[in-house]
Amino acid sequence: MTQVGVNGYGTIGKRVADAVAAQPDMELVGVAKTRPNFEAETAARKDYPLYAAVPERADRFAADGFDLAGEVDELVAAADVVVDCTPSGIGAENASMYEAHDTPAIFQGGEDADVADVSFNARANYADAVGADSARVVSCNTTGLSRILAPLSETFGVEKARVTLVRRGGDPGQTGRGPIDDILPDPVTVPSHHGPDVNTIFPDLDIDTLGMKVPATLMHTHSVNVTLASDADAADVLDLFADEDRLFLIPPGADIDGAGKLKEFAHDAGRPRGDLWENCIWAESVTVEGRDCYLFQAIHQESDVVPENVDAIRALRGDDDAAESMATTEAAMGVGIDY
Amino acid sequence: MTQVGVNGYGTIGKRVADAVAAQPDMELVGVAKTRPNFEAETAARKDYPLYAAVPERADRFAADGFDLAGEVDELVAAADVVVDCTPSGIGAENASMYEAHDTPAIFQGGEDADVADVSFNARANYADAVGADSARVVSCNTTGLSRILAPLSETFGVEKARVTLVRRGGDPGQTGRGPIDDILPDPVTVPSHHGPDVNTIFPDLDIDTLGMKVPATLMHTHSVNVTLASDADAADVLDLFADEDRLFLIPPGADIDGAGKLKEFAHDAGRPRGDLWENCIWAESVTVEGRDCYLFQAIHQESDVVPENVDAIRALRGDDDAAESMATTEAAMGVGIDY
């Protein structure tokens, strides 16, 4: 059993902890948090051992009635692998602690690519991370793009990809974020960081990305154009995608017009927190004009990277069977929508 | 002096009426309305003769204290040209009335293309409408695309255009519209109607468009990709656009990040209703990668077609000097932003 520590128990960390706890070959050693907020209460209710991420603030937990199992370096020492789910930039600061304990570490996509030996997407480049000391699971948007670009490039070849990412302004809980009633080019310059980030997974892919930000909180939505290197029609693309467990093809007739209904569907299905780990691709949108393939997909920014983190743990531990890892992750979590 | 009647005095009609009244070679005969609402009050305050668009409802105006100049067919009879600014679909119903009076008519982009002899954009195909019996001014989005595609295709050639239109859900006054907190593919199928509509102006242009709808009211925003037929760099494209009065290049450093600040700027400048008749293109976004040109532009859905309607009036009257018409329109309205 691989002993896994999760440093950072916020939006991503709490989901990764649950996913790890559900795996047949992993045990959750504990989770580290900076503040005794409602998410600390969530960890306590789940009986997850709670560690202080910032030793100087440890007494705040006691003051609020939380029992600490220790401080974060004890968690790192006890773990076979640590998953860093701290806010962007903090992961890089933590890297030396993981190295000092010789604990393989997984970072999130908010960190620069050089934080880790390899950037990681299970479907696209699992093998690159096998036995590495560290891996960076790319961001939600890059994960979403990698999952479609991998099968498209393997099967048809990709001449060029052009993607407009219409991003939610903030998560539902990020009440300080905007915009309200506006559509912002963000960044106003081209390309957005997403294209170069995709190139950390597909170094030779020709891709240009444009980013925007709008008054929505539930999911990102991508307007995707992929110029294929060989002829295909929409049915070929749909057939290809139907074989991918981490792609959900929204059926015509489902009356799912946006992220709100997708989340309703996920809640109806009993998904924890209404999570959608899969790319949600509108089947009706998949279109090929000449060799230009188009589609719309919605990406759940809070959860799509969670199965990737689980697979990255196995890769760092030297497990070299990507397909088996992905299948194990999916079975334990319930990833994959059969509609 | 060309006598102009405006049938429909809502979002577009009230702006067209003001623009016509400002022209040195036109007189506004009057405006027709269906209901005595706040916009009827606006017409009365401006001393625009008010006609009943629906004769059966004429007495409602008297009941609310408005003096009517007559009924809509009298307005059509008195006019040399009528501009139909009624809601989508009503224009087509009105066409037989304009024909019966032998009054040349201009329709809006919400009508099907076959409502008129020709679809019209002043910059792209003014000559096609000279002396025609009717013209359809294409929609705000198609107008915005035509204004950039015309100079690009003339100067560099266009191999293909791919555009994602991130559309406002409704105008500020359309309080019944959505979405709230969502990003909707709209339509979910590809292409949206915009591509075929652009082909009514540029019949041979290869263009694919994708439409989305978001919780914003102020302006549409386009993520534009144009694969040029010859080499150019961003500076060449910016130079080309700088010569176009109906394109506003938002300067870097202006701190204009979205539609909200664009409207603030328009109000600061004393623009009527804060209107932005020009495409608002972020200069920083204009990028060329290989022969792929990218840019972001914001389009003010309530006003960008107004100068086009004025030019269409002159074209139908047989005035064949497009450049002079456009310059006259712009000088009278104050179109063109020198920043």
Side-chain angles (χ1 to χ4, degrees), chain B residues 193-255:
Chain B
H193 74 275
H194 307 94
D197 203 33
V198 167
N199 287 135
T200 67
I201 302 290
F202 303 88
D204 301 322
L205 188 85
D206 188 2
I207 180 167
D208 294 325
T209 56
L210 296 93
M212 306 173 84
K213 212 163 63 174
V214 301
T217 65
L218 302 176
M219 301 177 80
H220 303 298
T221 305
H222 298 173
S223 171
V224 177
N225 164 235
V226 180
T227 308
L228 302 173
S230 60
D231 288 334
D233 60 24
D236 298 328
V237 175
L238 287 166
D239 283 348
L240 181 68
F241 287 171
D243 287 337
E244 301 281 330
D245 290 333
R246 298 187 189 179
L247 303 183
F248 167 41
L249 291 170
I250 304 168
D255 282 343

Side-chain angles (χ1 to χ4, degrees), chain A residues 48-234:
Chain A
Y48 293 165
L50 192 58
Y51 291 79
V54 180
E56 306 85 71
R57 297 191 199 163
D59 53 358
R60 295 196 197 174
F61 286 86
D64 281 9
F66 292 101
D67 291 330
L68 285 180
E71 296 180 356
V72 63
D73 65 325
E74 298 172 77
L75 175 65
V76 174
D80 298 320
V81 176
V82 64
V83 185
D84 186 293
C85 300
T86 60
S88 298
I90 308 296
E93 294 177 12
N94 290 334
S96 58
M97 171 171 60
Y98 308 142
E99 283 163 23
H101 288 277
D102 210 17
T103 304
I106 292 163
F107 299 92
Q108 303 306 310
E111 304 301 324
D112 291 338
D114 63 7
V115 76
D117 293 349
V118 61
S119 289
F120 180 84
N121 172 261
R123 176 63 180 80
N125 74 337
Y126 182 102
D128 294 350
V130 172
D133 289 328
S134 58
R136 166 181 165 267
V137 172
V138 290
S139 72
C140 55
N141 282 314
T142 304
T143 294
L145 291 174
S146 297
R147 286 175 178 170
I148 57 173
L149 288 167
L152 287 176
S153 63
E154 288 164 12
T155 303
F156 307 115
V158 170
E159 186 176 300
K160 178 152 193 172
R162 303 170 185 87
V163 182
T164 296
L165 300 102
V166 182
R167 296 152 57 210
R168 62 82 178 101
D171 295 341
Q174 292 177 311
T175 47
R177 295 247 206 145
I180 297 170
D181 193 19
D182 212 331
I183 305 168
L184 308 184
D186 183 50
V188 70
T189 50
V190 181
S192 66
H193 75 275
H194 308 93
D197 203 35
V198 166
N199 286 134
T200 68
I201 302 291
F202 303 88
D204 301 322
L205 188 84
D206 188 1
I207 181 169
D208 294 324
T209 55
L210 296 93
M212 307 173 84
K213 212 162 64 173
V214 301
T217 66
L218 302 176
M219 301 177 79
H220 303 297
T221 305
H222 297 173
S223 171
V224 177
N225 164 237
V226 180
T227 307
L228 302 172
S230 59
D231 289 333
D233 60 24

Side-chain angles (χ1 to χ4, degrees), chain B residues 20 49 60 92 98 112 136 141 152 159 197 203 216 274 287 295 301 310 315 323 338:
Chain B
V20 164
R60 294 196 198 175
Y98 308 142
D112 291 339
R136 166 181 166 266
N141 282 313
L152 288 175
E159 186 176 301
D197 203 33
T287 304
L295 63 85
Q301 72 280 359
V310 175
D338 192 19

Side-chain angles (χ1 to χ4, degrees), chain B residues 139-329:
Chain B
S139 72
C140 54
N141 282 313
T142 304
T143 294
L145 291 173
S146 296
R147 286 176 178 168
I148 57 173
L149 288 166
L152 288 175
S153 63
E154 287 164 12
T155 304
F156 307 116
V158 171
E159 186 176 301
K160 179 153 193 170
R162 302 169 184 85
V163 182
T164 297
L165 300 103
V166 182
R167 295 152 58 211
R168 61 82 179 102
D171 296 340
Q174 293 178 310
T175 47
R177 296 247 205 147
I180 298 169
D181 194 18
D182 212 330
I183 305 168
L184 307 185
D186 182 49
V188 70
T189 51
V190 181
S192 66
H193 74 275
H194 307 94
D197 203 33
V198 167
N199 287 135
T200 67
I201 302 290
F202 303 88
D204 301 322
L205 188 85
D206 188 2
I207 180 167
D208 294 325
T209 56
L210 296 93
M212 306 173 84
K213 212 163 63 174
V214 301
T217 65
L218 302 176
M219 301 177 80
H220 303 298
T221 305
H222 298 173
S223 171
V224 177
N225 164 235
V226 180
T227 308
L228 302 173
S230 60
D231 288 334
D233 60 24
D236 298 328
V237 175
L238 287 166
D239 283 348
L240 181 68
F241 287 171
D243 287 337
E244 301 281 330
D245 290 333
R246 298 187 189 179
L247 303 183
F248 167 41
L249 291 170
I250 304 168
D255 282 343
I256 293 177
D257 63 347
K261 293 207 184 72
L262 280 168
K263 292 282 290 176
E264 279 279 295
F265 178 57
H267 280 296
D268 285 353
R271 286 283 179 99
R273 302 183 175 91
D275 283 349
L276 287 153
W277 302 295
E278 305 83 358
N279 294 25
C280 300
I281 299 171
W282 277 272
E284 282 172 291
S285 74
V286 175
T287 304
V288 180
E289 298 280 348
R291 284 189 288 105
D292 273 317
C293 177
Y294 297 94
L295 63 85
F296 288 115
Q297 65 176 359
I299 299 295
H300 188 213
Q301 72 280 359
E302 298 167 299
S303 73
D304 80 326
V305 298
V306 176
E308 311 298 324
N309 274 276
V310 175
D311 293 322
I313 293 169
R314 290 199 191 89
L316 292 197
R317 291 286 283 170
D319 179 345
D320 63 1
D321 192 332
E324 189 180 290
S325 173
M326 291 176 71
T328 302
T329 301

